[in-house]
Amino acid sequence: MAQTGTGEYRYELIRDFCKLPPGQTFGLVSRVAADEQDRTYVFQRKDPPVVVFDRAGKYLGAWGSGEVTDPHGLKIVGHTVYTTDRSDSVAKSFSLDGKVKLALGTAGQHSDTGKVTNWLVERAAGPFNHPTEMLPHPNGDIYITDGYRNARVHRFSADGKLKASWGAPGSAPGQFHLPHSIALDDTGNLLVADRSNRRIQFFTPDGDYLGEWTGMGGPNDISRGKDGNYYIAEQEADGNPAHCTVRAPDGTVLAKLESRHVHGIGVDSRGDIYAGLTQDRSVDKFVRVA
């Protein structure tokens, strides 16, 4: 099998890795993530929205029918699955078997951000208007990027009370043009994928701007592996294809893996990468061999 990647980060690509039961097909795949047992959770725009596979790609089950209208963001931390429902403007967390633990927002109610042109809003507002990602923090709070029709990061207490928001439309430091995903570093700082600005911005837990990474296609998703590296789903840009990119904690690019159009990216405990494909409605796996 042909290999891709460079140096110590080489992979073998397995296309269409996750196998559904006979006669079933995926809807549009927005996100993919692995839990602590290396089971793969695929977030699809179809009922049931969450489909679970073992590490070999064997179907284990599915859940969530009727709970998510427009699946977008999905992250797994410990025994909880954190999701966003884009068009309903709701963020929900679930147990690993699909029981709702927390729901934020009211389905169909959107904050007023004015006119939206190419995902750039007229003004920022409170939660939510088409949120993109939900992630808990070691400080006990929950952070949510609110991106498709807003330009903010919201901070909630663990029981769902809004504590703070930051961000405004634009391209200056601390501004956003479609904040699309979120991750954390070892110190608890936030990495926010600012997709249409083609950068990842860094913030303290209180929202103070720290810096940014550039030189990428629009980042659709960012996940952190157990190795401490960041795995980024990059859009096509400047005539280049989409990529799954591995960056060290200091931002050094360790590998760039050419991919089909990738919207979600997950990584398991062994460093294998799972690419959630919207256009191709499937999941590709990059198996690490070095």
Side-chain angles (χ1 to χ4, degrees):
M1 186 179 295
Q3 293 188 6
T4 183
T6 54
E8 298 180 1
Y9 291 87
R10 296 196 303 277
Y11 302 81
E12 290 181 348
L13 171 62
I14 304 175
R15 285 196 166 207
D16 305 316
F17 175 75
C18 294
K19 302 301 183 185
L20 288 165
Q24 294 189 24
T25 58
F26 283 114
L28 183 153
V29 175
S30 183
R31 287 286 194 268
V32 59
D35 69 10
E36 292 178 347
Q37 298 183 43
D38 284 342
R39 293 174 297 201
T40 302
Y41 294 67
V42 178
F43 206 29
Q44 62 169 349
R45 292 181 190 162
K46 178 180 181 178
D47 269 342
V50 179
V51 192
V52 187
F53 301 85
D54 69 13
R55 196 175 183 280
K58 179 183 176 181
Y59 174 83
L60 296 176
W63 51 261
S65 290
E67 290 290 348
V68 186
T69 299
D70 185 22
H72 192 272
L74 182 145
K75 290 283 190 272
I76 299 175
V77 178
H79 299 289
T80 304
V81 181
Y82 296 86
T83 73
T84 55
D85 185 334
R86 184 178 59 173
S87 63
D88 263 359
S89 287
V90 170
K92 285 184 180 179
S93 64
F94 297 86
S95 62
L96 293 178
D97 59 357
K99 296 180 178 64
V100 176
K101 300 176 77 169
L102 179 69
L104 302 175
T106 301
Q109 292 188 13
H110 314 292
S111 56
D112 182 7
T113 56
K115 184 179 179 182
V116 182
T117 305
N118 191 29
W119 313 125
L120 186 64
V121 301
E122 184 178 354
R123 56 183 174 271
F128 298 113
N129 199 337
H130 291 63
T132 51
E133 202 89 272
M134 179 186 193
L135 190 69
H137 192 281
N139 63 19
D141 291 339
I142 296 169
Y143 291 82
I144 299 174
T145 46
D146 197 6
Y148 270 96
R149 295 184 183 178
N150 206 345
R152 307 219 90 176
V153 176
H154 306 294
R155 179 179 183 176
F156 290 84
S157 63
D159 59 357
K161 293 181 176 63
L162 180 66
K163 297 176 71 171
S165 300
W166 74 85
S171 57
Q175 296 181 337
F176 299 113
H177 186 177
L178 214 177
H180 202 264
S181 183
I182 192 169
L184 303 173
D185 70 11
D186 283 337
T187 66
N189 292 325
L190 282 68
L191 288 75
V192 178
D194 186 11
R195 191 176 84 177
S196 292
N197 283 324
R198 292 171 56 180
R199 65 184 177 182
I200 292 171
Q201 298 194 70
F202 291 78
F203 300 91
T204 69
D206 293 325
D208 299 320
Y209 172 83
L210 296 172
E212 60 188 54
W213 292 339
T214 57
M216 63 185 71
N220 272 324
D221 193 15
I222 178 169
S223 296
R224 194 168 195 206
K226 292 185 179 298
D227 56 9
N229 294 326
Y230 296 97
Y231 294 78
I232 303 166
E234 296 185 23
Q235 291 184 329
E236 301 82 350
D238 303 324
N240 297 314
H243 285 91
C244 295
T245 301
V246 185
R247 286 192 182 231
D250 65 359
T252 301
V253 175
L254 302 174
K256 288 183 75 70
L257 315 175
E258 184 175 327
S259 174
R260 294 191 275 180
H261 182 79
V262 54
H263 189 270
I265 190 167
V267 56
D268 66 20
S269 65
R270 304 187 192 187
D272 294 346
I273 298 170
Y274 300 82
L277 310 175
T278 50
Q279 295 175 2
D280 292 282
R281 303 192 175 204
S282 187
V283 177
D284 287 346
K285 182 175 183 178
F286 293 86
V287 180
R288 188 167 176 186
V289 295

